[in-house]
Amino acid sequence: MMEESSLYKAIMSDPYYRQHFNEVYNDKNNWGISADIDSSCLVCGGNTYELLSKIIPKNRVIYDFGAAYGFQAYWFKDHKRYVGINPPSKLASMPFRTENSIWFFGTIQEFFSQFKVEDDSFAICNYVPDNEAEALVRLHCPHCFANYVTMGDCESIFEK
C-alpha cells in the first residue's frame, strides 16, 4: 500500500492543484505515477524535492531533468520558473503543471542541443540512469543536484 508523502498531502490540501492532480493521476495502478508521490519510493518520494525547494532561492529557474509526471513541480511553484524535461511518453504526455511550469518533451541531449540554461538557475538530475545525460547536466549547469549517478568518470564521456 502506498504511503502518502508530504507532497501528496500538500497537493491534496490545495483545491486548485488537487483537481489538476486528479486529472493527471487517472490510473492509480500506474507505478510511474505512484513512484512520484509514494513517500517510501526512493525516486521522488521521501522529501528530497521539498528540501531542495526550501534551500534553492526563489529567484532561480529550476530545471528538472527526468521530471516524469512532474508532481514535484508543486514544491517549486513559488520559484521563478520550473522547467520539466522528460522524454516523450504516452504515460507522461499530460504532466502535472503549475502556473510557472513549462515542459520540454525530449531527451536531455536534445534539450541541450536546442537550449541554454538561464544564468543562476538550478538543475535537478534525480534518478536519470544515463551517464551521458548526467554529464551534460553537470557541464551546463553549475548549480545542480544529481542523485543516482554515473558509475564512472564523467569527464571520460566527453573524450569520445
Side-chain angles (χ1 to χ4, degrees), residues 131 134 148-153:
N131 291 350
E134 181 210 336
Y148 182 74
V149 294
T150 312
M151 297 217 177
D153 176 14

Side-chain angles (χ1 to χ4, degrees), residues 5 13 20 23 30 33 36 39 62 67 94 96 133 137 140 156:
S5 65
S13 71
H20 182 50
E23 292 167 3
N30 182 324
I33 290 177
D36 276 1
S39 65
I62 306 300
M94 189 178 123
F96 185 80
V137 171
H140 293 282
S156 64

Side-chain angles (χ1 to χ4, degrees), residues 65-147:
F65 294 94
Y69 294 91
F71 295 116
Q72 60 275 16
Y74 181 84
W75 292 129
F76 300 102
K77 67 184 180 352
D78 296 323
H79 285 74
K80 182 177 179 180
R81 189 174 323 101
Y82 172 90
V83 182
I85 298 96
N86 208 53
S89 164
K90 288 181 187 177
L91 296 176
S93 62
M94 189 178 123
F96 185 80
R97 294 179 188 270
T98 56
E99 291 181 15
N100 70 334
S101 66
I102 59 175
W103 285 82
F104 174 83
F105 294 103
T107 66
I108 293 171
Q109 291 85 339
E110 291 167 335
F111 177 83
F112 283 119
S113 72
Q114 298 174 39
F115 299 99
K116 181 182 177 205
V117 298
E118 290 187 37
D119 291 339
D120 206 27
S121 60
F122 194 94
I124 300 170
C125 185
N126 190 29
Y127 282 77
V128 175
D130 178 334
N131 291 350
E132 180 184 355
E134 181 210 336
L136 286 169
V137 171
R138 290 180 183 274
L139 178 68
H140 293 282
C141 306
H143 308 285
C144 72
F145 170 81
N147 189 26

